[in-house]
Amino acid sequence: MNVRRVVIVGTSHNYQIPPTGPAATEFHAFLDGICNTHLVRATAEEMSREALANWHVTSSLCHELAIAAGVPHRYCDLDEAQRRAAGVRHEHEIKVVGFFSRWSTEKIEQEIRASHSIRERRWMKELLDLDNWPVLFICGAEHVLPFQQLLQESGLSAEVAAHDWAPIQ
């Protein structure tokens, strides 16, 4: 039986975009090591083609890694139209509404978590549709633990390889 296993790497979205220089080289080497250690058969990430266009690039570092390794890749995040349709609100929008509505800090955090949860459930659906295990999944650091918990509650194996990867300074 093939274990449906996800290896999660949390990081800043800046590192997902293929820059040049030491940080890109270090991140690529880190991800390559993860892929080799875990015998990864696919890569996926919290990213959309629309977000890539906003960064003025056509692919991510994770996608380039998948091409080089000859494994499938999937951009799992919703674009803006899909976010609106699904009821996802941006964190800064929630904070502004919360401020003017005089919400407690706890209420603001609950609203942010609820919005993130919609996206995380979508990522899980994308991984299930991809159905290639084990899969490397890259996301923002704030999603690592909730996403891991969602995957585990849904019967998938989820391991965190990095909670918040950053280059060694």
Side-chain angles (χ1 to χ4, degrees):
M1 179 180 163
N2 190 12
V3 175
R4 299 183 308 171
R5 186 164 46 103
V6 182
V7 181
I8 304 169
V9 172
T11 191
S12 166
H13 296 304
N14 295 342
Y15 300 121
Q16 287 178 261
I17 305 306
T20 57
T25 302
E26 192 176 331
F27 192 44
H28 188 278
F30 175 77
L31 294 178
D32 196 45
I34 296 294
C35 289
N36 290 328
T37 300
H38 295 277
L39 304 176
V40 165
R41 295 186 54 215
T43 66
E45 61 190 309
E46 173 196 357
M47 183 63 68
S48 68
R49 294 207 179 274
E50 181 182 69
L52 290 171
N54 292 338
W55 285 86
H56 308 290
V57 296
T58 57
S59 71
S60 67
L61 190 69
C62 182
H63 183 231
E64 292 175 2
L65 180 75
I67 290 169
V71 299
H73 174 268
R74 174 102 25 127
Y75 295 115
C76 296
D77 210 13
L78 304 160
D79 63 28
E80 286 303 318
Q82 292 169 323
R83 285 181 188 213
R84 280 191 301 279
V88 174
R89 295 184 296 167
H90 289 278
E91 190 171 325
H92 65 273
E93 174 190 345
I94 294 169
K95 288 179 179 179
V96 168
V97 169
F99 175 80
F100 287 110
S101 300
R102 297 183 181 203
W103 290 349
S104 67
T105 302
E106 293 79 20
K107 168 79 170 162
I108 291 170
E109 289 303 315
Q110 286 173 350
E111 293 293 320
I112 291 169
R113 177 87 306 274
S115 192
H116 285 341
S117 179
I118 294 168
R119 293 173 57 218
E120 292 160 0
R121 286 192 307 273
R122 166 64 182 259
W123 305 340
M124 183 176 70
K125 179 192 176 307
E126 291 289 334
L127 295 179
L128 291 169
D129 289 348
L130 180 60
D131 196 24
N132 231 328
W133 315 98
V135 60
L136 167 67
F137 189 82
I138 301 171
C139 60
E142 70 275 11
H143 296 286
V144 169
L145 294 178
F147 190 53
Q148 179 187 32
Q149 182 177 353
L150 172 66
L151 294 170
Q152 291 173 337
E153 288 171 355
S154 300
L156 281 78
S157 171
E159 175 183 336
V160 176
H163 288 272
D164 190 3
W165 184 90
I168 297 170
Q169 311 248 348

